[in-house]
Amino acid sequence: MPIDWINGLIGGTIIGTAAAMYLLMSGKIMGASGILGGVIDGTHKKPGNENLTFLIGLIVFPAFFNFLGLLSSLGTAETYLSKNFILVIIAGLLVGAGTRLAGGCTSGHGVCGISRLSVRGILATFIYILFGVLTVFIFKHYTGLN
Amino acid sequence: MQKIIALISGGLFGIGLYISQMTNTRKVQGWLDIFGDWDPTLTFVMGGAVVPMFFAWKIINKRKKTFTGCEVPPQRNRKNNLPLIIGSVLFGIGWGLAGLCPGPAIASLSFGGSYGVIFLIAMISGMFFISKVLKI
């Protein structure tokens, strides 16, 4: 099995453990778009809401891991995000508006919804994967835009 | 206590995304590229993540409160699926274009460079537009 697949399985299990911990302890669904969205629309100001703390962990822990990689032979991470300014803006707007409208993203509808056997979560996941596949197909194979 | 749980959950989520390389847009777009040189990594990530959560749901559904005494998530029965469908279509297109979804976009802030920040600002603007301008 290629090392990337094993790392995927390990990383995925850590993601699932994080989501399980958040659910079993705080009773909340670990969805990145919902947690960020709550901070944006101000609902995180309710007492007992720790969306902001969650986001700090989500930013700081990978930063620390990346710093360890810098010090060791493991190396640092690279996102390889497109350098096409217009494409990055359009993609960002679509991801932000789409996940807010749909009420979830890959973590909320994907990880948490599928494991709950939620029809809405499974339907959402099916649709965004389908349109992600179609978009990559059209852009990679027809326009060559990167 | 809830602060510590949120910090560790967020942190583990970020480390999981980092280790599984889901912050690498090429891995994500490679997984979506089923008609090209398909990269199966995301399948293993999703599989690994769903298993602990499957058991977590089984446990929480039998309880009235969480292990720290919080409310359990309510069973919502939303009838209107139109925003879900339209939103997922838009998200899917954006996901395919950039190879980033909200979790990795936030987790890669420290190493994603200036374009990562631009993506994040655009993403936040998109969220703001839906919840504050359209008020959906």
Side-chain angles (χ1 to χ4, degrees):
Chain A
M1 225 160 83
I3 187 75
D4 278 9
W5 300 5
I6 296 166
N7 286 339
L9 201 55
I10 295 168
T13 308
I14 295 172
I15 295 167
T17 306
M21 178 182 168
Y22 207 42
L23 178 66
L24 293 171
M25 295 295 172
S26 301
K28 287 174 185 153
I29 294 166
M30 192 191 81
S33 59
I35 291 168
L36 179 60
V39 174
I40 291 162
D41 65 26
T43 48
H44 75 291
K45 283 176 186 154
K46 284 180 192 163
N49 188 303
E50 297 301 342
N51 283 12
L52 208 54
T53 318
F54 183 96
L55 291 176
I56 291 168
L58 181 56
I59 294 167
V60 172
F61 279 49
F64 179 68
F65 246 58
N66 206 42
F67 179 67
L68 290 181
L70 190 72
L71 298 178
S72 68
S73 60
L74 289 168
T76 54
E78 168 70 70
T79 58
Y80 299 105
L81 181 62
S82 166
K83 294 280 183 272
N84 182 325
F85 186 75
I86 303 294
L87 184 140
V88 170
I89 297 245
I90 291 172
L93 285 171
L94 285 170
V95 170
T99 53
R100 207 63 189 130
L101 198 55
C105 55
T106 334
S107 44
H109 278 318
V111 175
C112 299
I114 291 173
S115 59
R116 196 184 197 179
L117 305 176
S118 146
V119 176
R120 281 172 56 88
I122 293 166
L123 176 68
T125 305
F126 174 78
I127 295 171
Y128 65 68
I129 289 175
L130 177 71
F131 278 84
V133 166
L134 289 173
T135 305
V136 167
F137 180 74
I138 292 165
F139 274 82
K140 194 169 171 183
H141 297 277
Y142 284 103
T143 68
L145 193 64
N146 217 321
Chain B
M1 181 67 182
Q2 294 306 319
K3 271 200 192 323
I4 296 167
I5 294 163
L7 186 74
I8 295 174
S9 295
L12 284 178
F13 182 28
I15 289 170
L17 290 169
Y18 187 94
I19 291 175
S20 60
Q21 292 190 62
M22 289 300 103
T23 52
N24 178 348
T25 59
R26 286 183 189 169
K27 296 295 284 181
V28 175
Q29 285 177 323
W31 185 76
L32 292 171
D33 192 15
I34 54 171
F35 300 108
D37 187 16
W38 189 57
D39 179 342
T41 306
L42 201 150
T43 315
F44 291 90
V45 182
M46 202 43 122
V50 163
V51 174
M53 266 310 277
F54 179 78
F55 292 106
W57 281 118
K58 291 268 177 221
I59 295 165
I60 211 76
N61 285 340
K62 290 200 187 84
R63 297 177 63 96
K64 289 199 168 67
K65 295 270 181 181
T66 70
F67 287 93
T68 59
C70 298
E71 297 294 324
V72 298
Q75 283 282 358
R76 287 185 194 154
N77 231 339
R78 275 178 276 191
K79 291 272 190 297
N80 189 3
N81 282 330
L82 195 62
L84 180 95
I85 293 167
I86 297 170
S88 297
V89 169
L90 299 179
F91 167 42
I93 297 170
W95 194 35
L97 282 177
L100 276 181
C101 51
I106 302 163
S108 65
L109 183 64
S110 62
F111 54 85
S114 54
Y115 279 79
V117 176
I118 293 165
F119 182 88
L120 205 54
I121 292 169
M123 187 175 91
I124 289 169
S125 309
M127 289 179 166
F128 187 85
F129 178 73
I130 295 296
S131 55
K132 287 289 179 190
V133 181
L134 295 184
K135 296 189 197 304
I136 297 172

